[in-house]
């Protein structure tokens, strides 16, 4: 093999140092990209690490209690917006669920049992090298909404940190925003990495309902956006999520990080916003028809959710109202719904109201072929749709449909 | 094709007056009978039944040997040429063990996605189409989310590829807790594909796999399968990092096979110009296809595949106006998976009679039996050649493989030495798991996956005694971790090294090429926007620059805009009578001199170099005639890489000195001749080296400097084309003597008068017409002679 690996590594290391020196003298190669701008002053060399760390922790840990080795905690009190109980069904009728996970919650849950949960992590793409360093768990306590936060000061404290979270969530109903895809799998991974048994808590992920209700109206469904647009709350000071990992890294490497306190309030604000958004959405599901004439939420999305819950009459009313205002998606959902119920007259009426578009041509073509038995018109619409197919799979399906119709018409 | 018609055709073919003069050699490889063994006695009755339903009541000897070795708990590699029933070598013992231990799991790795899809179909059959309690899942980039969860949680056998293992499975191992806790077997099929840079990466991926498995308390056994190579046991041992024993005897029967060396006619012996490999190969393939012979033609590049396929289709279209009777398809990397699947299906069901392929069909994709293989140019390694020629041949039948030599020195050398070809065991596959870049890459990934304990190593080298190896490996890992700590991406605290960066390291590390980022090729014809292929960034700069001609599925496109920043390339379909070829300029800077030595009377240096390449302009070459019809400019930033090089110094005190290659620079014609001699010498060494190293000529770069700015003497650089190197420069240092002898022999045998494409090239004629080619040739010959003489004097 090619010489001594250790020596080759040493050389690479020397080379990297030499390049570092050259760079600092302004001798960088033209083709090299500039270094990313650090968040703050240069990190001290590795020998100095930890010098910036004060007795009893850095400034931002004032007001925090030390729970154990490298683990800190604090509690914050907020105004409580939650009612006495909440119906989890509308939230869990949609969205992602892992196999083997508790299959939905039956009946109302007392809001005292809810734990609003959010993690700040060292990366956004998950994987076993991504660590959670900050957690907020919100709950109702004696008329207040209390957010308890946990902070991991450095890697070796992780097992203790995770144990704290597990005992705070144990036997509760965990409410998250995108937690099924991110926070909960990440927590499970951290458990495995530390030899702990992953939690099997019931959960509600608000993201799916929020998407249905507000995404199309506000052009997005991030918690920050909905907090501003739906709840009308402006945060005073915040950091973009993409900066958060580096803020913790500069803390562990340099001993302090001026933006850490902002990350900490960001984390607490997130669970407060989450609780308020859940309350708002629950209100919508309680009396959906009061939104019949409203443009501030997506009536088609709400209608679809109610359909999934079997609340057919409310769903139809909302979907018809949206279609009446020219909402194509609502019309397509209704058309399929009426087909399943065998209500072809309603379906015909709905299809007549649909705006001209490839999707409506496909739906009308199906109706013409299978209900009206008008293959010639069905073919015309299918061909029209084929000409503007937007995915290869759709193109393939439409081509088959066109071929079949042609055969039926004796055209081949 | 029946036996007699094949024999008749081959006889007629070989005695055809147009063909016979070009046949340089015919090797008849006799048929071989099967060697049988009984089914293992402990085989589960359900498996026995499943085999019976496929008409299998006994095993080939190598299948039985694999079974008992695996069942004894050994790691092994079994050598399995094409169509020798290799899948039973691992499926039987693995499925048997999974039936005995209901929680046990197995991981199957194939080098490509396409192969794993084939494998799943095959496995369904062994696992009795779901009748056995052994769930099989494919887990790759195409697996939908819903199935991923099922594969992780309930897959008894998970079929994947090294890339997916590297970037999808290992970084998320905690989600695979059930799988890793019970992992008993890892099957690595097509092992010979894991050489060079890919193999060097895969060895490190396996190190990571073992580390993660150990975290969950499991120690899987490994079963490797390989095509015929010279060192299966050594390669498997290098890949796994522990000793692997090899089964090299094969009990499968083989039909009679004829291997023909075909040298295209010399048009101009003085200038050494031969008829083109492409058009000669096309001619032979057309002849075979017209005789009803199912034929596969292998060409060396995507571009050549497209060119030759279109020539064949053209040639056939003239003769068959109904053009539905013979269907020929190109097959190469860069096609969409659905396009590939359609071609594979066509070959199996007989609706396609001919295929023109790059080596992507060399790997074990099932395309049914073909009658003949035409190999347009030596494919770069003997193992490739045998894999490709093995594509032709059905059990019991006679098959034909024709190697059409190109005018490259390597091909001309090989075609003149059949004894070397047929007598010699195949060459050895090389990897360098200790390429420092590759190693660092995987140290990052490993640190991400699990924190390193103080004193822990990624892996110990298998070549050293256990105690010594552990200490060495630990110090290497510590060095790498120290480096990563300085870079700020791991943190050392509390006796451990933790990954401490926001990224996901495996995302940025490609196992296959120097760079992970690919350029997407978008067809914008008629205002549309359809992705038709992709290409790695360095290749894109040399192949799909602005105004380049890109050929895809027999259609020509012209590049409107290559947008490197956005990794996209917009093309439109256009009918053109030419293709394009970039002229690439190379600069080299010496970074370190690690080792100096003398081989063949020549001083050499091994070290790290910085290579800067830039495509500056391109040639337009007319189809068929291949004549140059114009130039265009390319304005793209250069590519840079650090790699390993062997540098030959031809200054005073060396063989070069006797030829006036001392430090004094000459003027005018003198210096032009010196440049030509140096470049001819470098070219021959470069082109012939792959006969001794298992690599492709394209894996090696070369450059010559008449007065090297670093060493101050004439120098020839041969460098590894992959950052950090894959062991080629070191390998070449040991084999330089052989390469020099081969170079001298080839040059002496060449019929040309003053250099030709089959020896030292003719590049110098472009630069300064005053250079006398015959003088150059004479001096190169003398230089090689002096090197050999110096060697003789020394030994
Ligand atoms: Zn020649």
């Amino acid at each position: 093999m090619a010489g001594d690996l250790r020596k080759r590594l040493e050389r690479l290391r020397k080379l990297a140092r030499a390049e570092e020196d050259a760079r600092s003298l302004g001798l960088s190669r033209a083709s090299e990209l500039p270094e990313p701008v650090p968040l703050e002053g240069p990190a001290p060399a590795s020998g100095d690490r930890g010098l910036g760390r004060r007795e009893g922790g850095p400034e931002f840990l004032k007001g925090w209690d030390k729970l154990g080795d490298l683990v800190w905690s604090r509690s914050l009190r907020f105004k409580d917006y939650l009612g006495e109980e909440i119906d989890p069904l509308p939230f869990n009728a949609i969205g992602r669920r892992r196999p083997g996970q508790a299959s939905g919650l039956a009946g109302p849950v007392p809001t005292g049992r809810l734990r609003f949960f959010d993690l700040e992590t060292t990366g956004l793409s998950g994987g076993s090298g991504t660590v959670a360093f900050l957690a907020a768990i919100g709950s109702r306590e004696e008329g207040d909404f209390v957010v308890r936060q946990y902070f991991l000061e450095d890697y070796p404290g992780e097992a203790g940190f995770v144990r704290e979270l597990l005992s705070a969530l144990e036997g509760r109903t965990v409410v998250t925003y995108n937690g099924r895809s991110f926070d909960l799998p990440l927590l499970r991974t951290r458990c495995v990495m530390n030899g702990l048994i992953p939690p099997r808590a019931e959960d509600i992920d608000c993201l799916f309902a929020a998407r249905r209700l507000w995404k199309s109206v506000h052009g997005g469904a991030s918690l920050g956006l909905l907090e501003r647009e739906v709840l009308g709350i402006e945060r005073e000071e915040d950091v973009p999520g993409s900066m958060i990992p580096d803020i913790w890294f500069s803390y562990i490497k340099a001993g302090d990080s001026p933006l850490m306190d902002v990350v900490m309030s960001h984390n607490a604000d997130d669970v407060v916003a989450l609780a308020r958004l859940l309350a708002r959405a629950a209100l919508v599901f309680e009396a959906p028809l009061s939104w019949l004439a409203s443009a501030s939420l997506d009536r088609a999305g709400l209608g679809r959710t109610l359909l999934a819950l079997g609340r057919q009459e409310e769903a139809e009313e909302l979907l018809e109202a949206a279609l009446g205002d020219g909402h194509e998606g609502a019309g397509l959902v209704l058309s399929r719904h009426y087909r399943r119920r065998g209500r072809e007259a309603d379906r015909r009426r709905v299809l007549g109201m649909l705006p001209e578009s490839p999707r409506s041509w496909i739906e009308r073509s199906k109706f013409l072929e299978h209900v009206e038995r008008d293959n010639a018109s069905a073919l015309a619409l299918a061909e029209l749709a084929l000409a503007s197919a937007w995915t290869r799979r759709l193109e393939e399906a439409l081509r088959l449909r066109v071929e079949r119709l042609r055969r039926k018409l004796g055209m081949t | 094709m029946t036996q007699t018609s094949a024999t008749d055709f081959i006889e007629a073919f070989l005695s055809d007056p147009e063909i016979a003069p070009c046949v340089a050699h015919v090797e008849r490889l006799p048929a071989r009978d099967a060697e049988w063994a009984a089914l293992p006695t402990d085989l589960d009755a359900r498996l026995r039944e499943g085999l019976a339903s496929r008409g299998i009541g006994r095993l080939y000897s190598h299948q039985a040997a694999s079974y008992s070795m695996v069942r004894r708990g050994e790691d092994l590699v079994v050598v399995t040429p094409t169509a020798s029933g290799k899948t039973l070598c691992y499926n039987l013992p693995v499925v048997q063990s999974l039936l005995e231990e209901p929680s046990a799991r197995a991981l199957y790795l194939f080098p490509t996605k396409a192969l794993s899809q084939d494998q799943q179909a095959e496995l369904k059959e062994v696992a009795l189409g779901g009748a056995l309690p052994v769930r099989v899942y494919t887990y790759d980039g195409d697996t939908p989310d819903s199935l991923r969860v099922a594969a992780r949680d309930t897959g008894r056998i998970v079929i994947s590829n090294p890339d997916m293992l590297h970037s999808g499975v290992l970084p998320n191992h905690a989600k695979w807790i059930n799988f890793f806790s019970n992992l008993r077997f890892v099957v690595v099929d097509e092992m010979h594909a894991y050489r060079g840079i890919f193999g060097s990466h895969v060895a490190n991926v396996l190190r990571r796999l073992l580390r993660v498995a150990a975290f969950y308390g499991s120690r899987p056994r490994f079963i490797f399968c390989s095509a015929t190579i010279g060192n299966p046991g050594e390669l498997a041992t290098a890949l796994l990092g522990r000793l692997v024993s090899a089964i090299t005897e094969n009990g499968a029967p083989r039909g009679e096979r004829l291997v023909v060396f075909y040298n295209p006619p010399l048009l101009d012996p003085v200038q050494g110009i031969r008829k083109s490999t492409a058009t000669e190969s096309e001619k032979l393939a057309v002849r075979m296809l017209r005789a009803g012979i199912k034929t596969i033609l292998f060409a060396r590049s995507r571009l050549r595949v497209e060119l030759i396929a279109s020539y064949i289709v053209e040639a056939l279209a003239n003769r068959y106006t109904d053009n539905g009777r013979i269907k020929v398809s190109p097959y190469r990397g860069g096609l969409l998976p659905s396009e590939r699947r359609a071609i594979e299906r066509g070959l199996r069901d007989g609706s396609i009679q001919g295929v023109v392929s790059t080596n992507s069909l060399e790997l074990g994709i099932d395309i049914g039996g073909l009658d003949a293989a035409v190999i347009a140019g030596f494919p770069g390694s003997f193992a490739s050649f045998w894999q490709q020629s093995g594509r032709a041949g059905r059990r019991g039948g006679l098959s034909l493989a024709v190697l059409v030599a190109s005018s490259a020195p390597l091909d001309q050398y090989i075609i003149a030495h059949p004894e070397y070809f047929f007598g010699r065991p195949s060459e050895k596959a090389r990897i360098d798991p200790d390429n420092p870049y590759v190693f660092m890459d995987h140290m990052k990934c490993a640190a991400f996956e699990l924190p390193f304990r103080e004193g822990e190593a990624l892996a110990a080298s298998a070549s050293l005694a256990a105690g010594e190896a552990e200490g060495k490996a630990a110090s290497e890992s510590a060095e790498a971790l120290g480096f990563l700590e300085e870079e700020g991406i791991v943190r050392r605290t509390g006796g451990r090294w933790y990954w401490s960066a926001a990224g996901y390291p495996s995302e940025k590390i490609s196992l296959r090429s120097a760079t992970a980022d690919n350029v997407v090729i978008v067809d914008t014809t008629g205002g549309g926007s359809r992705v038709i292929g992709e290409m790695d960034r360095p290749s894109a700069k040399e192949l799909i620059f602005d105004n380049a001609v890109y050929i895809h599925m027999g259609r020509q496109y012209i590049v409107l805009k290559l947008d490197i920043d956005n990794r996209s390339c917009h093309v439109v379909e256009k009918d053109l009578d030419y293709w394009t070829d970039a002229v690439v300029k190379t600069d080299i800077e010496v970074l370190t001199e690690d080792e100096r030595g003398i081989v063949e009377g020549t001083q050499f240096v091994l070290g790290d170099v910085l290579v800067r390449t830039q495509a500056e302009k391109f040639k337009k070459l007319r189809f068929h005639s291949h004549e140059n019809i114009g130039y265009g400019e390319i304005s793209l930033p250069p590519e840079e890489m650090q790699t390993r090089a062997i540098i030959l110094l031809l200054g005073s005190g060396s063989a070069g000195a006797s030829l006036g290659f001392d430090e004094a620079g000459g003027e005018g014609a003198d210096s032009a001749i010196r440049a030509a001699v140096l470049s001819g010498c470098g070219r021959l060494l470069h082109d012939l080296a792959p006969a001794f190293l298992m690599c492709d000529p394209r894996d090696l770069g070369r450059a010559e400097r008449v007065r090297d700015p670093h060493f101050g003497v004439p120098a020839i650089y041969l460098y590894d084309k992959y950052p950090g190197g894959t062991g080629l420069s070191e390998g070449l240092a040991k084999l330089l003597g052989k390469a020099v002898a081969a170079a001298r022999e080839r040059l002496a045998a060449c019929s040309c008068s003053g250099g030709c494409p089959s020896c030292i090239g003719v590049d110098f004629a472009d630069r300064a017409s005053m250079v006398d080619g015959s003088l150059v040739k004479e001096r190169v010959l003398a230089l090689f002679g002096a090197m050999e003489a110096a060697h003789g004097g020394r030994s």
Side-chain angles (χ1 to χ4, degrees), chain B residues 272 746-747 750-752 755-760 777:
Chain B
R746 170 84 278 276
L747 188 57
C750 204
S751 69
C752 67
C756 75
S758 301
C759 58
I760 55 173
K777 191 176 169 184

Side-chain angles (χ1 to χ4, degrees), chain A residues 71-120:
Chain A
V71 184
W72 298 74
S73 169
R74 73 169 173 188
S75 292
L76 302 169
R77 281 181 185 269
F78 296 86
K79 190 165 180 280
D80 181 18
Y81 295 88
L82 293 157
E84 284 313 308
E85 56 183 28
I86 202 140
D87 180 6
L89 267 181
F91 298 94
N92 284 344
I94 40 179
R96 193 182 302 187
R97 181 164 290 284
R98 286 170 55 85
Q101 205 173 333
S103 60
L105 300 153
V109 180
T111 44
R113 231 179 77 188
L114 301 180
R115 291 294 176 273
F116 295 85
F117 178 55
D118 183 55
L119 290 173
E120 304 305 333

Side-chain angles (χ1 to χ4, degrees), chain B residues 61-190:
Chain B
S61 55
H62 64 285
Q63 294 171 334
S66 309
Y67 185 90
S68 53
M69 276 180 76
V70 175
R71 301 281 289 159
R72 278 204 304 271
E74 290 177 51
D75 297 312
L76 73 117
V77 54
V78 52
V79 174
T80 52
T82 318
S84 62
K86 74 172 167 190
T87 49
L88 281 186
C89 292
Y90 49 79
N91 280 342
L92 272 193
V94 168
V95 174
Q96 172 70 27
S97 301
L98 296 193
L99 287 173
E100 289 169 5
E101 189 192 344
S103 62
R105 313 285 188 108
L107 173 67
Y108 282 23
L109 293 175
F110 293 84
T112 64
K113 266 194 284 189
L115 282 169
S116 53
Q117 287 173 3
D118 263 28
Q119 178 55 26
Q120 182 158 19
E122 167 91 12
L123 208 59
K124 281 242 162 78
E125 233 173 286
V126 174
L128 300 177
L132 294 180
V134 174
R135 282 173 179 258
V136 181
Y137 285 95
T138 298
Y139 194 91
D140 61 29
D142 297 339
T143 308
D145 279 354
S146 51
L147 282 183
R148 288 185 178 209
V149 177
R152 288 200 291 260
D153 293 350
T154 63
R156 301 289 306 284
I157 297 179
V158 172
I159 300 175
S160 191
N161 54 62
D163 311 79
M164 195 64 189
L165 182 61
H166 156 69
S167 64
V169 177
L170 290 174
N172 294 296
H173 61 82
K175 291 182 178 169
W176 293 79
I177 176 168
N178 288 332
F179 185 81
F180 282 117
S181 305
N182 296 291
L183 184 61
R184 298 288 174 271
F185 298 100
V186 179
V187 170
V188 180
D189 201 349
E190 308 279 344

Side-chain angles (χ1 to χ4, degrees), chain A residues 114-397:
Chain A
L114 301 180
R115 291 294 176 273
F116 295 85
F117 178 55
D118 183 55
L119 290 173
E120 304 305 333
T121 63
T122 59
L124 301 175
S125 40
S128 46
T130 301
V131 173
F133 64 86
L134 181 62
I137 297 176
S139 59
R140 298 184 80 207
E141 258 174 47
E142 297 153 11
D144 288 335
F145 187 73
V146 175
V147 177
R148 183 155 291 121
Q149 287 183 285
Y150 301 86
F151 178 69
L152 171 64
E153 211 187 337
D154 205 345
Y155 293 99
E158 198 193 15
F161 173 78
V162 174
R163 250 186 241 114
E164 292 293 338
L165 301 186
L166 291 180
S167 70
L169 298 176
E170 185 59 46
R172 311 292 174 170
T173 299
V174 182
V175 185
T176 61
Y177 203 77
N178 196 27
R180 289 218 182 128
S181 305
F182 189 75
D183 307 68
L184 295 177
L186 198 127
L187 180 61
R188 269 191 291 274
T189 294
R190 297 333 301 167
C191 288
V192 172
M193 294 292 285
N194 287 284
L196 300 167
I197 294 163
R200 280 182 67 94
E202 301 167 332
D203 81 293
I204 296 172
D205 186 339
C206 281
L207 173 67
F208 304 101
R211 270 194 196 139
R212 287 270 177 97
L213 294 182
W214 294 299
K215 185 179 175 185
S216 69
V217 179
H218 299 296
S222 73
L223 185 59
L225 179 79
L226 297 187
E227 181 184 19
R228 200 165 58 238
E229 300 299 327
V230 176
L231 304 174
I233 300 171
E234 287 286 346
R235 290 194 192 177
E236 280 173 18
E237 202 180 10
D238 202 2
V239 285
S242 58
M243 276 174 68
I244 290 173
D246 280 333
I247 293 171
W248 189 68
F249 288 135
S250 40
Y251 167 65
I252 60 166
K253 289 166 195 170
D256 206 352
S257 189
L259 287 172
M260 188 61 90
D261 56 341
V262 187
V263 174
M264 289 168 156
S265 29
H266 165 97
N267 176 239
D269 289 348
D270 272 357
V271 293
V272 173
L274 173 58
R276 296 189 58 184
L277 202 68
L278 178 88
R280 177 67 61 96
L283 218 59
V284 172
F285 292 123
E286 256 168 48
L289 293 183
S290 51
W291 302 88
L292 208 50
S294 167
S296 64
L297 67 66
D298 182 348
R299 289 164 298 171
L302 177 55
R304 278 171 66 203
T305 308
L306 294 171
L307 262 190
L309 289 166
R311 290 160 68 173
Q312 193 175 320
E313 278 157 38
E314 290 163 308
E316 282 174 22
E317 245 185 283
L318 282 156
L319 288 164
E320 290 278 3
L323 175 63
D325 292 341
H327 194 297
E328 182 194 37
L332 292 170
V333 171
L334 273 174
S335 167
R336 281 174 216 136
H337 167 64
Y338 290 141
R339 173 170 57 77
R340 274 193 293 271
R341 306 268 148 183
R343 286 159 61 181
E344 300 298 353
D346 280 325
R347 193 172 169 211
R348 185 177 295 114
R349 174 179 53 78
V350 163
L351 289 175
M353 292 166 75
L354 278 180
E356 294 294 323
S357 80
R359 284 180 218 271
S360 75
W361 294 331
I362 296 169
E363 192 63 23
R364 277 153 65 190
S365 172
K366 288 180 187 169
F367 181 73
L368 285 165
E369 181 184 354
H370 300 296
V371 180
E372 308 281 30
R373 312 273 167 203
D374 177 357
N375 290 334
S377 310
L379 176 61
L381 285 175
E383 281 179 333
L384 211 54
L386 177 59
S388 51
W390 56 95
T391 66
R392 278 188 116 172
R393 223 167 113 191
L394 181 64
E395 191 181 329
E396 201 51 44

